[in-house]
Amino acid sequence: MGERGAATAGGGPGLAGSGPGLAGGGPGLAGSGPGLAGSGLAAAGSGSRGVGSGPAGTGADSPVPGSTSATTGSPPATASPSTSASQGSLVESTEDPDGLDLQGARADAFLGLAADNLALGRISAARRLAVRAAQADRRWRATVRGGWVGAEIELAAGQPEAAVAPARLAYETAVARHARRHIVKSGIVLGVALLAAGQDGARELLVAAAADAEKYELDSLGWVADRVAADVDHDRAEEYRFRSRQVLHAVLRRADPCVMRIAHESPWVPIGPG
């Protein structure tokens, strides 16, 4: 099933971000901070749709047992089986399989707050918010995004081995759903986690993510993918870095003035040469 929704996870402080960044590199990468994607991985681009929890309207219109009509004095009417079935199917249909509904929006909000706190170095608060996101929505989309944030939290905490499990869960879930953008981003996250943990498989994932980002024109992920691919494919490092700068330039040309300012001020976004 194809991915729905916009593509970059929404909760961190903007494109450039202020937290540890994927482009800047995680532990074991050429770069600095111990994190993943600059602005928190709660957010590589999808918007929230609202806040809420679970299906609404179950029994909201049911009369109170034993009550009578205020105007006629007659016993309250009871719904027929066919009416109840119809209402049940209506309630059931309100849950979106991809999480683009109230429950999904609540999870997005918690993940965004987790990313914000992580960017400020509040790792304990980020952990608590990530847990609340998982409790709010357990469908595939929230699972993938929660895996991104969970991996970033562990990397920021200096525990790269612990980052591998949530990153792998995110990647495998995205692959099972055939969600192209989520697959690319999850490949970047898992690749960085494996590299930081000193485990095998990082190069293949990161090179594949860079190739797919270019193939499917996922520019907001492409410049990051190229940046990290340069750290694992030394024969093509200059090619990756050059392409990363080109793609980032194209992305920022379409950005609003606020994002441009943040990008130029951020140490995680490679605006200049190099």
Side-chain angles (χ1 to χ4, degrees), residues 2-274:
E3 175 185 354
R4 299 175 55 187
T8 349
L15 169 76
S18 58
L22 238 181
L29 296 183
S32 33
L36 276 178
S39 78
L41 287 183
S46 61
S48 299
R49 299 292 187 275
V51 179
S53 60
T58 53
D61 297 325
S62 301
V64 177
S67 65
T68 58
S69 168
T71 56
T72 65
S74 59
T78 56
S80 66
S82 60
T83 302
S84 299
S86 174
Q87 290 176 342
S89 62
L90 180 62
V91 169
E92 184 178 346
S93 67
T94 62
E95 183 175 284
D96 187 279
D98 295 325
L100 302 181
D101 55 16
L102 298 182
Q103 282 177 272
R106 171 170 285 184
D108 277 349
F110 283 132
L111 289 174
L113 290 171
D116 289 343
N117 278 272
L118 184 59
L120 296 172
R122 300 169 180 167
I123 295 177
S124 295
R127 287 188 192 280
R128 291 194 296 271
L129 288 160
V131 169
R132 295 189 68 181
Q135 294 170 341
D137 189 357
R138 300 184 185 277
R139 287 165 294 178
W140 77 267
R141 181 173 170 274
T143 297
V144 172
R145 291 162 184 267
W148 298 342
V149 176
E152 187 176 10
I153 289 172
E154 300 303 339
L155 288 171
Q159 301 179 46
E161 294 83 3
V164 173
R168 192 180 300 282
L169 175 62
Y171 181 75
E172 291 176 351
T173 302
V175 169
R177 299 297 300 195
H178 306 289
R180 177 55 56 193
R181 182 179 286 271
H182 283 73
I183 291 171
V184 172
K185 180 157 184 178
S186 298
I188 298 172
V189 176
L190 178 55
V192 170
L194 290 170
L195 187 63
Q199 299 181 22
D200 295 335
R203 183 182 184 279
E204 292 77 6
L205 282 165
L206 295 172
V207 169
D212 283 349
E214 181 182 28
K215 177 180 179 180
Y216 297 105
E217 299 181 348
L218 305 176
D219 290 349
S220 60
L221 296 176
W223 72 269
V224 178
D226 287 333
R227 198 76 181 173
V228 293
D231 291 323
V232 296
D233 190 349
H234 301 298
D235 293 338
R236 300 177 59 196
E238 287 307 313
E239 174 190 342
Y240 283 124
R241 293 191 181 102
F242 177 77
R243 191 167 70 194
S244 176
R245 290 192 296 270
Q246 281 190 316
V247 174
L248 178 59
H249 177 72
V251 169
L252 292 178
R253 285 184 61 186
R254 300 192 293 269
D256 60 58
C258 180
V259 171
M260 283 289 292
R261 177 182 59 79
I262 294 172
H264 280 280
E265 293 176 356
S266 172
W268 308 109
V269 181
I271 297 296

